[in-house]
Amino acid sequence: MQTGIEAADIFRQLAEGMGQTGTPQFYPTLVERLAILLGVDHALVARVDAEIDPHASVAETLAVWSNGKHLPNVAYPLAGTPCETVLGREPCLYSCDVQQRFPDDHLLAELGADSYMGLPLFAADGRTIGLLALLKNAPMTLDDLAREVLRIAAAQAGAELGRQQAEAALKTSEAVARESERRLDTLLNHLPGMAYRCLNDENWTMELVSQGVRELTGYHPHELVNNQLTSFVQLVHADDTPRVFDEVQAAIRRRRPYQVIYRLHHRDGRIRWMWEQGQAVLDEAGKVVCLEGFITDVTDNQEAQRVQQAVMQVASTVTSHVGDDYFQQLISTLVELLEADGGFIALLDRSSQAAGEHSRSASTVTTVSLVADGSPLSNQTFALSGSPCEQVVREHEAVSHHGEYTPVPGKGMQAQAWIGRRLDNAKGEAIGVMMVLYREPLTTNAFATSVLRILSTGAAAELERRRDQRRMHQLAYIDGTTGLANRVRFLEVQTRMLRRAARLHQSLSLILLDIRRFKEINDTHGHQVGDQLLATIAGRLQDAIPESSTLARLSGDEFAILMDNPDEAELAETLDNLRESVAETIQLGHNAFNLQVSVGFSCYPADATVAGELFKAASIALHHAKRDGSVCPFSHDMMRQQRRRQKMTERLHQALMENRLALYYQPQVNLKTGQLAGAEALCRWYEPDWGWISPGEFIPLAEERGLISALGDWVLTEAARQLREWQSQGTALPGRLSINIAAQQFADPQLAQHIAELTQGVPASALALELTESDFMRDPDQAVEITQRMRAAGYALFIDDFGTGYSSLAYLRRFAADALKIDISFVREMLDNQHDRAIVKTIIAMADALGMKTLAEGVEHKEQATLLAEMGCLEAQGFLFGRPKPADEFAAAWLDR
């Protein structure tokens, strides 16, 4: 299977290739698409006659794709080829060395194939009528997605080939049709009459009798075959027997078909009028081998005329229409022929098949064509349970002669009688129903049920084809979790709506929503709960937007909405509704979720005039909403900032690759002795075009754009190099060098080993690793485990910016931390702000109780240092002691003393 192609794109491309159904391009397009999508060198579709000896069969290709081009069609014998094994009705895979397995197959050698995958193609009645083969000049492996693609492609190719053969069969002469006993049996066993083959003896001894004999005479076929219970002549009225015999023999002598009308004794004692047509089958010598013909009940001549007309109209309906028009024409013809008041053809929900009886109460039925009083109605979905369709599905064929029914809820159709036939796929599984409805009670139904039987096979085959197309459409365009349009479908709708807005000089608003902290919920509660949550949110969002709007799930927890020509008030109201609908508590089982959304939106034509730019504008607005607030409209300043951030990302990556970053070092001083107690390594970046870039800008950018791990690795490597250099120069740094660790780095369970590899030659006791309090609390249990491993490896751990997060005392006690760094925001105002001074005092007391030291950040005045020392703070850093300096200036100021 090709990599890099989303499953939705694969099924969409396959569906587009199958849009050539009924045209000469169907098979060439199909094999080309399959070869490209599945990454094989050759693909072909061929028709075969599997009913004859496979060793003598010949496959005739309908399309061949090889090495990037179409080849002329060929015919080749199946004997000694892998195609021969495909006719065993199961897919056949030879993953490698296929030429060695089939040395007599010259086509394999010509193509250079090393592997082969073949699937049989089935007609609607289950016959094998062809094959679909993929060949590759290397070994072949197929995943589940590839097998699903092949299954659908084979079903569609088989349906198309079956349709072509059925169309050709209708044009075949009557003599050719009679040559096939199987075809005669398949067709005539469902007609309201009796097909037969008998000897031309005095008893007309039956050799073959169709199932129609039971309705015609009351006898089972086996009771008449070989005169087991009675002979057919004994059933013919005695007064009519001589005449019928003479007319038949006279026609045989003239070598013409015979037509006779006579009376017949039914098993129940009634006498019925029969119309019979047949002819003699002669051998090469002109001797009569047998008689073949058809008998029908013409007691009611009008009934017989209706049957003939029905068969003709049915044939016209089946062969002249496909798709939606097929079903609409079919049900309209049925309603007219059967003198019904309405009718429908419907598709069963797929869930109603696999689970059996217990699932039927929850399954649904969706009409694909619906007619009442001669007019088509809009389709509708309703519950299978309690409807007449439920009995039809259970019994295959069902009739209700009188009662009170509402067959299609919500359509106002009342019926007192109905006739239904189940529609099955090639595996015999129920996939739909065909129903006709009557407002008056029924007195007879034989004619109607016979017509429904004739139509059911063709209708089922077309329904299965439609179902496969619907499945492909869902896979390509519908999000499986929420049932909303997916990204592919949404972008298509956006382009269409944008064109309409431009044509009508109207506006269009694009809203993007992101569920805050959804990933944490998904990770904590599992994907099943996450999917339920997404489905619930999707339903709420759908209810919160105007009916003319379009809602889609783009990916993960991101949704998109298109609003057609809203005014400011409507847009503002919709934004409020969206936020409120998500904010309302969601109860799933024992879990209650209170969520918030980040919302960004852009408008056409104010913000952008093309689809791609409009989407980009909304995405930029959403990005700002995630950082700055819950709802954020797009502005062109955002675009300029975004471009700067993109450019900065590119340059930061380049600076990392070219080692153009620098480490500065800020002293950490013992407040009691005034001596250097350590230092903190701080990353600095200078760009000739921009000057010095603030760490407050490029470090969050690195975290957002996935560069923080690479940046962190560079800092660790450079810091270790500098420590080794100072050590070799005899100016070793006293205490520890503090290095900031990002949350993404800290999530690595093997962090201790990774740091050791990056800082080879530097003892763990020379390093202190800093992580912010909020980063510790992202996953406290994991943080406890990793900090314990870091301590065991010999590294000191500092909790940075302490007091600004939300850590609990319980977790703080479990963290294997060595020090708390008091955040600069408390130190800056502690001299004048009693509240900040109390916080600092509390942090120092807390650290002392837990056996940790404290280190104050941002100390700029001597009075601050004095007060901190009096409170018990051990160390501090800030401009009072020195600004961050390059390595050589720091060494000259602090290490060369």
Side-chain angles (χ1 to χ4, degrees):
M1 195 73 183
Q2 295 184 4
T3 59
I5 298 180
E6 294 292 336
D9 290 332
I10 291 174
F11 283 102
R12 178 171 54 80
Q13 294 180 40
L14 181 63
E16 291 172 355
M18 292 180 180
Q20 304 289 335
T21 302
T23 72
Q25 294 303 314
F26 174 78
Y27 290 116
T29 302
L30 176 63
V31 296
E32 179 180 351
R33 288 292 174 92
L34 284 177
I36 293 172
L37 290 174
L38 302 182
V40 299
D41 300 296
H42 322 281
L44 63 86
V45 176
R47 60 168 168 254
V48 296
D49 185 358
E51 297 299 319
I52 63 177
D53 182 4
H55 294 286
S57 295
V58 173
E60 298 178 38
T61 63
L62 302 171
V64 181
W65 176 265
S66 177
N67 292 323
K69 62 182 180 180
H70 291 286
L71 296 183
N73 284 316
V74 298
Y76 60 95
L78 289 175
T81 72
C83 295
E84 181 182 14
T85 63
V86 174
L87 301 185
R89 300 179 63 84
E90 294 292 339
C92 183
L93 173 64
Y94 297 96
S95 58
C96 62
D97 301 325
V98 69
Q99 290 189 48
Q100 285 78 2
R101 295 171 182 255
F102 299 93
D104 296 331
D105 190 340
H106 301 296
L107 184 58
L108 293 177
E110 291 175 9
L111 296 177
D114 183 59
S115 55
Y116 173 98
M117 175 66 182
L119 296 91
L121 306 183
F122 299 112
D125 59 3
R127 291 181 297 112
T128 304
I129 57 175
L131 59 91
L132 170 66
L134 305 179
L135 302 95
K136 193 172 182 180
N137 296 344
M140 184 189 309
T141 57
L142 297 172
D143 57 18
D144 291 341
L145 178 58
R147 293 180 185 274
E148 176 69 1
V149 168
L150 286 174
R151 185 196 70 77
I152 293 176
Q156 291 294 96
E160 176 64 6
L161 184 55
R163 186 191 67 80
Q164 292 175 356
Q165 290 183 350
E167 186 175 354
L170 288 174
K171 300 176 183 179
T172 303
S173 68
E174 186 175 339
V176 174
R178 283 196 297 268
E179 291 178 4
S180 173
E181 181 178 310
R182 178 185 56 78
R183 293 182 183 178
L184 182 65
D185 182 68
T186 301
L187 175 63
L188 297 185
N189 274 341
H190 294 86
L191 291 174
M194 163 186 156
Y196 67 90
R197 183 174 69 227
C198 70
L199 299 179
N200 188 29
D201 59 13
E202 60 182 9
N203 292 316
W204 282 341
T205 301
M206 295 292 172
E207 293 183 326
L208 175 67
V209 180
S210 70
Q211 294 294 327
V213 71
R214 294 180 60 185
E215 183 175 343
L216 202 70
T217 69
Y219 292 88
H220 292 275
H222 69 271
E223 294 176 327
L224 293 181
V225 171
N226 294 323
N227 307 322
Q228 288 293 324
L229 181 62
T230 183
S231 68
F232 190 81
V233 165
Q234 289 177 312
L235 302 182
V236 178
H237 197 286
D239 294 341
D240 295 337
T241 302
R243 175 182 54 82
V244 171
F245 188 83
D246 290 342
E247 290 181 12
V248 170
Q249 299 308 313
I252 292 174
R253 289 193 297 270
R254 294 192 300 270
R255 296 195 177 186
R256 292 182 179 179
Y258 52 83
Q259 294 183 2
V260 290
I261 298 176
Y262 53 88
R263 289 166 293 177
L264 183 138
H265 294 278
H266 194 276
R267 193 171 195 168
D268 61 8
R270 294 175 298 156
I271 296 178
R272 309 291 293 173
W273 282 94
M274 301 292 130
W275 177 85
E276 178 177 350
Q277 176 174 319
Q279 69 178 23
V281 178
L282 308 176
D283 62 14
E284 294 179 356
K287 184 179 179 181
V288 177
V289 177
C290 63
L291 305 180
E292 290 183 344
F294 181 82
I295 306 172
T296 186
D297 189 331
V298 292
T299 304
D300 186 346
N301 188 57
Q302 184 179 3
E303 184 87 352
Q305 291 178 0
R306 288 178 61 209
V307 170
Q308 295 174 21
Q309 182 181 6
V311 172
M312 292 175 60
Q313 292 192 30
V314 165
S316 174
T317 300
V318 171
T319 58
S320 300
H321 302 273
V322 294
D324 292 343
D325 194 33
Y326 169 92
F327 292 117
Q328 192 61 49
Q329 185 65 35
L330 181 57
I331 197 63
S332 297
T333 304
L334 265 178
V335 170
E336 179 182 353
L337 289 175
L338 304 182
E339 299 179 352
D341 297 299
F344 61 85
I345 297 174
L347 182 69
L348 296 180
D349 182 352
R350 185 179 292 273
S351 64
S352 67
Q353 272 81 84
E357 291 289 334
H358 297 292
S359 70
R360 285 181 179 148
S361 60
S363 62
T364 58
V365 181
T366 301
T367 62
V368 296
S369 60
L370 176 61
V371 170
D373 298 322
S375 300
L377 302 179
S378 58
N379 287 312
Q380 184 164 334
T381 298
F382 55 91
L384 175 65
S385 178
S387 72
C389 297
E390 184 178 28
Q391 183 180 351
V392 175
V393 170
R394 183 172 60 250
E395 300 178 7
H396 291 259
E397 184 175 273
V399 178
S400 176
H401 290 91
H402 56 85
E404 291 289 340
Y405 308 99
T406 305
V408 183
K411 293 299 180 182
M413 293 179 60
Q414 297 297 320
Q416 293 196 40
W418 52 263
I419 304 172
R421 175 78 179 178
R422 195 175 93 174
L423 303 179
D424 293 352
N425 62 15
K427 298 179 181 179
E429 300 166 335
I431 60 172
V433 293
M434 186 160 51
M435 305 274 292
V436 288
L437 316 168
Y438 298 86
R439 288 197 171 94
E440 300 296 331
L442 271 178
T443 57
T444 180
N445 61 277
F447 169 71
T449 53
S450 297
V451 172
L452 288 179
R453 288 173 193 160
I454 296 172
L455 295 179
S456 62
T457 300
E462 182 66 19
L463 197 63
E464 186 170 20
R465 185 188 69 80
R466 178 190 175 104
R467 189 176 196 142
D468 280 343
Q469 286 187 332
R470 180 182 175 188
R471 169 69 173 159
M472 286 188 295
H473 180 273
Q474 289 178 333
L475 291 171
Y477 295 109
I478 303 300
D479 173 57
T481 301
T482 63
L484 300 176
N486 63 11
R487 175 182 287 270
V488 174
R489 180 60 176 166
F490 182 79
L491 294 179
E492 291 181 358
V493 173
Q494 179 192 11
T495 300
R496 186 176 69 249
M497 292 182 68
L498 200 61
R499 289 173 181 168
R500 180 179 182 275
R503 186 176 68 255
L504 300 177
H505 303 289
Q506 295 179 344
S507 66
L508 181 68
S509 294
L510 171 59
I511 304 170
L512 298 182
L513 299 94
D514 182 87
I515 311 302
R516 294 184 182 179
R517 296 178 54 248
F518 176 77
K519 185 178 184 302
E520 295 179 25
I521 295 174
N522 217 27
D523 293 341
T524 303
H525 297 276
H527 291 287
Q528 184 176 2
V529 172
D531 288 349
Q532 293 176 349
L533 198 59
L534 286 173
T536 303
I537 292 171
R540 291 187 175 186
L541 295 179
Q542 190 72 67
D543 293 337
I545 62 177
E547 290 185 3
S548 60
S549 302
T550 298
L551 172 66
R553 180 191 176 202
L554 301 185
S555 63
D557 57 351
E558 187 173 335
F559 295 83
I561 298 163
L562 282 170
M563 291 187 65
D564 192 11
N565 198 34
D567 55 32
E568 291 186 10
E570 183 182 15
L571 178 59
E573 181 182 3
T574 300
L575 291 171
D576 289 340
N577 291 341
L578 290 171
R579 293 175 58 195
E580 292 172 1
S581 66
V582 176
E584 185 178 347
T585 301
I586 298 176
Q587 191 76 35
L588 294 178
H590 300 295
N591 298 311
F593 299 97
N594 294 288
L595 304 174
Q596 292 181 323
V597 291
S598 299
V599 182
F601 64 94
S602 60
C603 298
Y604 167 88
D607 300 326
T609 57
V610 296
E613 292 300 318
L614 185 66
F615 193 90
K616 182 189 297 184
S619 298
I620 293 173
L622 177 62
H623 176 78
H624 280 263
K626 291 179 181 179
R627 295 188 304 165
D628 304 331
S630 59
V631 177
C632 186
F634 171 78
S635 70
H636 289 282
D637 284 341
M638 292 180 184
M639 181 69 79
R640 288 189 286 273
Q641 294 175 23
Q642 183 73 10
R643 289 171 180 166
R644 170 179 167 82
R645 290 171 64 80
Q646 181 60 37
K647 190 66 176 177
M648 185 175 291
T649 301
E650 296 170 0
R651 292 198 180 186
L652 177 58
H653 184 267
Q654 187 177 5
L656 276 169
M657 296 299 100
E658 297 175 358
N659 198 29
R660 291 192 287 104
L661 301 176
L663 280 188
Y664 276 43
Y665 301 86
Q666 185 173 32
Q668 296 173 340
V669 176
N670 186 301
L671 290 175
K672 291 183 178 180
T673 65
Q675 298 297 313
L676 184 68
E680 181 177 3
L682 301 168
C683 188
R684 295 293 184 263
W685 178 22
Y686 179 84
E687 277 289 316
D689 295 340
W690 295 339
W692 290 102
I693 301 171
S694 169
E697 184 176 10
F698 76 80
I699 289 179
L701 181 66
E703 292 177 336
E704 177 188 324
R705 300 300 174 91
L707 295 175
I708 193 64
S709 294
L711 179 60
D713 287 353
W714 181 87
V715 170
L716 285 165
T717 302
E718 176 61 19
R721 184 200 65 75
Q722 187 61 60
L723 287 175
R724 290 194 299 268
E725 182 176 319
W726 283 337
Q727 181 69 34
S728 66
Q729 294 173 352
T731 55
L733 176 72
R736 296 178 185 258
L737 179 63
S738 296
I739 299 173
N740 290 284
I741 300 297
Q744 294 178 29
Q745 294 173 277
F746 197 71
D748 181 9
Q750 305 301 321
L751 180 61
Q753 179 180 349
H754 183 62
I755 293 176
E757 293 172 353
L758 295 175
T759 60
Q760 289 184 6
V762 175
S765 58
L767 298 175
L769 306 175
E770 295 188 10
L771 192 75
T772 64
E773 180 185 11
S774 58
D775 288 339
F776 268 105
M777 293 308 298
R778 287 191 179 188
D779 190 342
D781 292 326
Q782 183 187 49
V784 168
E785 181 180 349
I786 294 178
T787 54
Q788 289 174 348
R789 292 181 186 176
M790 302 294 287
R791 283 291 299 275
Y795 299 105
L797 294 170
F798 291 2
I799 299 180
D800 196 9
D801 299 338
F802 189 79
T804 61
Y806 302 94
S807 57
S808 67
L809 290 177
Y811 275 114
L812 188 62
R813 187 179 68 252
R814 294 173 60 196
F815 290 146
D818 297 270
L820 301 180
K821 295 188 72 174
I822 304 171
D823 187 67
I824 187 175
S825 62
F826 303 120
V827 175
R828 183 183 295 117
E829 304 293 335
M830 64 180 291
L831 295 176
D832 302 319
N833 188 309
Q834 184 177 357
H835 178 70
D836 285 350
R837 189 162 60 252
I839 291 176
V840 171
K841 187 174 183 180
T842 301
I843 293 174
I844 295 172
M846 184 189 307
D848 185 58
L850 294 173
M852 303 179 189
K853 72 176 183 179
T854 50
L855 190 157
E857 296 181 295
V859 178
E860 298 181 358
H861 306 289
K862 186 171 180 57
E863 292 80 5
Q864 292 172 329
T866 300
L867 181 57
L868 286 167
E870 292 174 355
M871 290 181 175
C873 180
L874 182 62
E875 297 175 1
Q877 67 183 80
F879 292 169
L880 174 64
F881 308 108
R883 294 176 179 271
K885 298 178 181 295
D888 53 349
E889 295 181 22
F890 177 83
W894 292 94
L895 302 183
D896 293 340
R897 296 179 179 181

